Amino acid sequence: MFGIRLLIVLFAIVAVVLVLRRMYRRPAPKRPLVAPGQMVRCAHCGLYLPREEATHEDELDFCSADHRDRHARG
Ligand SMILES: [Zn+2]
């Protein structure tokens, strides 16, 4: 009985160590810094977002298709 308990405890310790090592070894994912020029403003709500995530219509930028439609409806 003691042996099984010891085995479980050892396994738990090894698992925790492996998880911690993986967490600390992996550097934070490097996200490329967004250049200031790549940010656009939603013409409807004023939200700033990366250009590639924006919806474009008539040289205007929108945060979503919903806001684009709302802006078109006036
Ligand atoms: Zn918006």
Side-chain angles (χ1 to χ4, degrees):
M1 204 59 175
F2 179 75
I4 290 171
R5 265 185 142 182
L6 188 70
L7 211 66
I8 290 170
V9 169
L10 278 174
F11 181 78
I13 290 171
V14 168
V16 168
V17 167
L18 284 176
V19 167
L20 286 177
R21 271 180 60 184
R22 191 169 293 180
M23 279 171 66
Y24 282 108
R25 204 195 306 166
R26 191 196 302 159
K30 279 187 181 177
R31 291 185 122 198
L33 288 171
V34 178
Q38 291 179 309
M39 297 297 280
V40 294
R41 187 171 174 270
C42 175
H44 185 74
C45 69
L47 180 82
Y48 282 92
L49 70 160
R51 176 175 286 277
E52 55 268 24
E53 291 177 27
T55 303
H56 311 282
E57 178 90 10
D58 296 336
E59 298 192 9
L60 290 173
D61 302 298
F62 299 94
C63 65
S64 62
D66 180 49
H67 278 186
R68 181 197 61 205
D69 295 344
R70 286 193 201 192
H71 191 81
R73 274 185 254 131

